[in-house]
Amino acid sequence: MKKGIITVSVLAVIACTITAYCRAAGNEIVSENANQVQSLSEQQVKSTPQSTKGKALVVYFSVPETDDVDASSGASRLVSNGKIMGNTQYIASVISEATGSDLFEIKTVHSYPGSHKALIDAAKAEIDNNARPKLATHIKNLNDYDVVFVGFPNWWYDMPMPLYSFFDEYDFGGKTVIPFCTHGGSRFSGAIKTIRELEPKASVLDGYAISRDRVSEAKPNVLNWLKRIGIM
């Protein structure tokens, strides 16, 4: 009799364990599906902007690849209205058009290679050497802007090194900085933390990250994001 009671108890415990595991697995699947649904809006702003009022500037760094690499393999370009654009350049143009903001492109004195393999190798070499590429373009009227969007592709789990040159050059104290990036799966990596360290006197929002294979269909989600942060 006692053995029978023990056996029933053990079976009950096992059944409860299996049920709990199934529920946990179900919740994980639900969460994963929810993440897939939310992935179109990607990494959303977690902090409430203190102020997104005033004149805005959209700054971006983008290197469109010139070889025939499809988006799933890592291409950083698309065609919009017959024009070849870098992924980050396209998102910057959407933000600029939607908000009536001025556009500014970060350009370097040296040119980056257009082929995918050569480009990622060049990016890796700059990161390894902690390079500060010399910039060819400069903002002459930064004081005119209260809000600055800053866009870039994620290169090797970091901002491209020209962004470090950019932040070294300017003091964004008292301004709202809103990062956005395009990526192949790594989102911002540690870029938001880095920007806050480089610009401690600025209000740096958590920003918005767009997967490279969704850039062409990202416009509605970018517009929704701009509405959420109150800058439309």
Side-chain angles (χ1 to χ4, degrees):
M1 176 66 75
K2 289 183 179 181
K3 289 184 179 179
I5 294 174
I6 292 173
T7 301
V8 171
S9 299
V10 170
L11 290 174
V13 170
I14 293 173
C16 290
T17 302
I18 293 173
T19 301
Y21 173 81
C22 291
R23 287 178 178 175
N27 288 335
E28 184 177 349
I29 293 171
V30 169
S31 297
E32 183 178 345
N33 289 337
N35 287 337
Q36 291 174 351
V37 171
Q38 292 176 358
S39 62
L40 286 178
S41 60
E42 293 294 334
Q43 194 162 320
Q44 301 179 12
V45 172
K46 297 177 183 177
S47 60
T48 303
Q50 297 299 316
S51 174
T52 52
K53 305 300 181 182
K55 192 174 182 180
L57 176 67
V58 181
V59 175
Y60 71 93
F61 173 77
S62 189
V63 182
E65 293 175 12
T66 56
D67 55 6
D68 295 325
V69 181
D70 61 25
S72 63
S73 300
S76 59
R77 68 177 184 180
L78 54 77
V79 178
S80 177
N81 297 323
K83 179 182 178 182
I84 295 177
M85 305 177 73
N87 286 343
T88 307
Q89 178 185 10
Y90 171 71
I91 299 300
S93 70
V94 170
I95 296 172
S96 174
E97 180 182 356
T99 61
S101 304
D102 296 333
L103 266 176
F104 176 84
E105 182 180 2
I106 298 174
K107 293 182 178 181
T108 55
V109 171
H110 74 279
S111 299
Y112 285 91
S115 64
H116 180 70
K117 178 64 165 59
L119 177 59
I120 61 175
D121 287 347
K124 185 65 164 61
E126 285 189 345
I127 291 173
D128 289 345
N129 293 318
N130 196 28
R132 292 294 185 272
K134 187 175 180 180
L135 303 183
T137 54
H138 307 275
I139 303 172
K140 297 181 179 179
N141 55 337
L142 183 60
N143 290 335
D144 293 349
Y145 302 100
D146 300 304
V147 177
V148 182
F149 291 88
V150 181
F152 50 88
N154 184 322
W155 282 2
W156 293 100
Y157 314 104
D158 199 352
M159 295 187 296
M161 299 316 287
L163 268 294
Y164 285 84
S165 300
F166 175 78
F167 284 115
D168 284 348
E169 182 171 343
Y170 302 102
D171 178 4
F172 290 95
K175 300 182 186 300
T176 298
V177 175
I178 309 177
F180 63 96
C181 84
T182 55
H183 65 92
S186 301
R187 300 184 181 240
F188 278 106
S189 297
I192 301 297
K193 180 176 181 291
T194 299
I195 295 172
R196 286 174 176 153
E197 291 172 349
L198 295 173
E199 299 292 340
K201 296 180 181 179
S203 174
V204 181
L205 302 192
D206 287 350
Y208 190 82
I210 306 99
S211 175
R212 69 184 176 214
D213 57 357
R214 290 184 173 132
V215 169
S216 62
E217 60 193 47
K219 184 174 181 177
N221 300 292
V222 172
L223 298 182
N224 287 335
W225 167 62
L226 293 172
K227 289 178 182 177
R228 285 198 301 272
I229 65 176
I231 203 167
M232 281 288 285

mmCIF file of all heavy atoms in Angstrom, residues 41-49 178-179 205-208 225 228-229:
data_model
loop_
_atom_site.group_PDB
_atom_site.id
_atom_site.type_symbol
_atom_site.label_atom_id
_atom_site.label_comp_id
_atom_site.label_asym_id
_atom_site.label_seq_id
_atom_site.Cartn_x
_atom_site.Cartn_y
_atom_site.Cartn_z
ATOM 1 N N SER A 41 9.421 46.729 -35.743
ATOM 2 C CA SER A 41 9.702 48.019 -35.115
ATOM 3 C C SER A 41 11.056 47.985 -34.427
ATOM 4 O O SER A 41 11.555 48.995 -33.970
ATOM 5 C CB SER A 41 8.613 48.364 -34.096
ATOM 6 O OG SER A 41 8.546 47.394 -33.095
ATOM 7 N N GLU A 42 11.658 46.775 -34.343
ATOM 8 C CA GLU A 42 13.001 46.574 -33.824
ATOM 9 C C GLU A 42 13.176 47.143 -32.425
ATOM 10 O O GLU A 42 12.281 47.059 -31.605
ATOM 11 C CB GLU A 42 14.030 47.160 -34.804
ATOM 12 C CG GLU A 42 14.098 46.421 -36.124
ATOM 13 C CD GLU A 42 14.621 45.012 -35.998
ATOM 14 O OE1 GLU A 42 15.363 44.729 -35.061
ATOM 15 O OE2 GLU A 42 14.268 44.189 -36.843
ATOM 16 N N GLN A 43 14.301 47.743 -32.188
ATOM 17 C CA GLN A 43 14.644 48.176 -30.830
ATOM 18 C C GLN A 43 13.971 49.512 -30.545
ATOM 19 O O GLN A 43 14.281 50.522 -31.140
ATOM 20 C CB GLN A 43 16.160 48.320 -30.716
ATOM 21 C CG GLN A 43 16.654 48.437 -29.290
ATOM 22 C CD GLN A 43 18.120 48.133 -29.224
ATOM 23 O OE1 GLN A 43 18.610 47.229 -29.880
ATOM 24 N NE2 GLN A 43 18.835 48.887 -28.451
ATOM 25 N N GLN A 44 13.014 49.503 -29.643
ATOM 26 C CA GLN A 44 12.213 50.682 -29.413
ATOM 27 C C GLN A 44 12.805 51.545 -28.310
ATOM 28 O O GLN A 44 13.573 51.097 -27.482
ATOM 29 C CB GLN A 44 10.780 50.282 -29.043
ATOM 30 C CG GLN A 44 10.114 49.436 -30.129
ATOM 31 C CD GLN A 44 8.718 49.026 -29.750
ATOM 32 O OE1 GLN A 44 8.160 49.545 -28.798
ATOM 33 N NE2 GLN A 44 8.137 48.112 -30.480
ATOM 34 N N VAL A 45 12.408 52.810 -28.312
ATOM 35 C CA VAL A 45 12.879 53.736 -27.297
ATOM 36 C C VAL A 45 12.334 53.322 -25.937
ATOM 37 O O VAL A 45 11.144 53.122 -25.771
ATOM 38 C CB VAL A 45 12.411 55.170 -27.626
ATOM 39 C CG1 VAL A 45 12.731 56.101 -26.479
ATOM 40 C CG2 VAL A 45 13.083 55.658 -28.894
ATOM 41 N N LYS A 46 13.196 53.153 -24.956
ATOM 42 C CA LYS A 46 12.792 52.769 -23.614
ATOM 43 C C LYS A 46 12.693 53.975 -22.691
ATOM 44 O O LYS A 46 11.965 53.962 -21.713
ATOM 45 C CB LYS A 46 13.799 51.762 -23.056
ATOM 46 C CG LYS A 46 13.867 50.462 -23.842
ATOM 47 C CD LYS A 46 14.928 49.548 -23.283
ATOM 48 C CE LYS A 46 15.050 48.285 -24.102
ATOM 49 N NZ LYS A 46 16.131 47.409 -23.610
ATOM 50 N N SER A 47 13.458 54.994 -22.984
ATOM 51 C CA SER A 47 13.434 56.175 -22.140
ATOM 52 C C SER A 47 12.550 57.247 -22.759
ATOM 53 O O SER A 47 12.441 57.341 -23.970
ATOM 54 C CB SER A 47 14.856 56.733 -21.965
ATOM 55 O OG SER A 47 15.388 57.074 -23.218
ATOM 56 N N THR A 48 11.894 58.020 -21.943
ATOM 57 C CA THR A 48 11.049 59.092 -22.424
ATOM 58 C C THR A 48 11.892 60.320 -22.676
ATOM 59 O O THR A 48 12.591 60.797 -21.788
ATOM 60 C CB THR A 48 9.960 59.434 -21.388
ATOM 61 O OG1 THR A 48 9.208 58.253 -21.121
ATOM 62 C CG2 THR A 48 9.043 60.524 -21.915
ATOM 63 N N PRO A 49 11.852 60.857 -23.906
ATOM 64 C CA PRO A 49 12.667 62.023 -24.190
ATOM 65 C C PRO A 49 12.251 63.204 -23.344
ATOM 66 O O PRO A 49 11.062 63.471 -23.163
ATOM 67 C CB PRO A 49 12.404 62.278 -25.685
ATOM 68 C CG PRO A 49 11.096 61.614 -25.975
ATOM 69 C CD PRO A 49 11.028 60.440 -25.043
ATOM 70 N N ILE A 178 19.430 61.307 -30.924
ATOM 71 C CA ILE A 178 18.585 60.138 -31.163
ATOM 72 C C ILE A 178 19.294 59.218 -32.156
ATOM 73 O O ILE A 178 19.286 59.463 -33.357
ATOM 74 C CB ILE A 178 17.204 60.545 -31.721
ATOM 75 C CG1 ILE A 178 16.568 61.630 -30.842
ATOM 76 C CG2 ILE A 178 16.293 59.331 -31.825
ATOM 77 C CD1 ILE A 178 15.244 62.152 -31.361
ATOM 78 N N PRO A 179 19.913 58.169 -31.671
ATOM 79 C CA PRO A 179 20.630 57.253 -32.573
ATOM 80 C C PRO A 179 19.662 56.355 -33.356
ATOM 81 O O PRO A 179 18.562 56.042 -32.902
ATOM 82 C CB PRO A 179 21.486 56.410 -31.622
ATOM 83 C CG PRO A 179 21.434 57.120 -30.294
ATOM 84 C CD PRO A 179 20.115 57.806 -30.268
ATOM 85 N N LEU A 205 18.802 59.248 -26.372
ATOM 86 C CA LEU A 205 17.707 58.285 -26.291
ATOM 87 C C LEU A 205 18.193 56.889 -26.672
ATOM 88 O O LEU A 205 19.280 56.724 -27.234
ATOM 89 C CB LEU A 205 16.564 58.710 -27.215
ATOM 90 C CG LEU A 205 15.948 60.087 -26.991
ATOM 91 C CD1 LEU A 205 14.656 60.226 -27.784
ATOM 92 C CD2 LEU A 205 15.686 60.350 -25.512
ATOM 93 N N ASP A 206 17.367 55.896 -26.358
ATOM 94 C CA ASP A 206 17.746 54.514 -26.620
ATOM 95 C C ASP A 206 17.783 54.192 -28.108
ATOM 96 O O ASP A 206 18.406 53.233 -28.529
ATOM 97 C CB ASP A 206 16.790 53.554 -25.923
ATOM 98 C CG ASP A 206 17.012 53.525 -24.422
ATOM 99 O OD1 ASP A 206 18.014 54.103 -23.970
ATOM 100 O OD2 ASP A 206 16.182 52.950 -23.711
ATOM 101 N N GLY A 207 17.086 54.966 -28.912
ATOM 102 C CA GLY A 207 17.207 54.858 -30.351
ATOM 103 C C GLY A 207 16.385 53.779 -31.015
ATOM 104 O O GLY A 207 15.481 53.194 -30.420
ATOM 105 N N TYR A 208 16.710 53.512 -32.259
ATOM 106 C CA TYR A 208 15.917 52.625 -33.110
ATOM 107 C C TYR A 208 16.843 51.849 -34.038
ATOM 108 O O TYR A 208 17.676 52.439 -34.720
ATOM 109 C CB TYR A 208 14.932 53.467 -33.929
ATOM 110 C CG TYR A 208 13.889 52.680 -34.672
ATOM 111 C CD1 TYR A 208 12.750 52.239 -34.012
ATOM 112 C CD2 TYR A 208 14.028 52.408 -36.023
ATOM 113 C CE1 TYR A 208 11.776 51.531 -34.698
ATOM 114 C CE2 TYR A 208 13.061 51.700 -36.711
ATOM 115 C CZ TYR A 208 11.937 51.266 -36.043
ATOM 116 O OH TYR A 208 10.976 50.554 -36.716
ATOM 117 N N TRP A 225 7.523 54.979 -34.960
ATOM 118 C CA TRP A 225 8.526 55.285 -33.935
ATOM 119 C C TRP A 225 8.650 56.791 -33.721
ATOM 120 O O TRP A 225 8.685 57.266 -32.580
ATOM 121 C CB TRP A 225 9.864 54.687 -34.357
ATOM 122 C CG TRP A 225 11.040 55.175 -33.570
ATOM 123 C CD1 TRP A 225 11.250 55.024 -32.230
ATOM 124 C CD2 TRP A 225 12.166 55.889 -34.071
ATOM 125 N NE1 TRP A 225 12.455 55.605 -31.863
ATOM 126 C CE2 TRP A 225 13.030 56.143 -32.970
ATOM 127 C CE3 TRP A 225 12.542 56.327 -35.332
ATOM 128 C CZ2 TRP A 225 14.234 56.825 -33.118
ATOM 129 C CZ3 TRP A 225 13.741 56.995 -35.486
ATOM 130 C CH2 TRP A 225 14.569 57.247 -34.383
ATOM 131 N N ARG A 228 5.865 57.964 -31.668
ATOM 132 C CA ARG A 228 5.971 57.564 -30.266
ATOM 133 C C ARG A 228 6.892 58.490 -29.480
ATOM 134 O O ARG A 228 6.666 58.743 -28.300
ATOM 135 C CB ARG A 228 6.475 56.127 -30.146
ATOM 136 C CG ARG A 228 5.436 55.079 -30.494
ATOM 137 C CD ARG A 228 5.842 53.721 -29.939
ATOM 138 N NE ARG A 228 7.120 53.285 -30.454
ATOM 139 C CZ ARG A 228 7.292 52.592 -31.587
ATOM 140 N NH1 ARG A 228 6.246 52.317 -32.345
ATOM 141 N NH2 ARG A 228 8.493 52.205 -31.969
ATOM 142 N N ILE A 229 7.939 58.969 -30.127
ATOM 143 C CA ILE A 229 8.865 59.847 -29.402
ATOM 144 C C ILE A 229 8.480 61.319 -29.534
ATOM 145 O O ILE A 229 9.194 62.201 -29.068
ATOM 146 C CB ILE A 229 10.328 59.631 -29.856
ATOM 147 C CG1 ILE A 229 10.532 60.023 -31.316
ATOM 148 C CG2 ILE A 229 10.751 58.193 -29.611
ATOM 149 C CD1 ILE A 229 11.975 59.923 -31.766
#
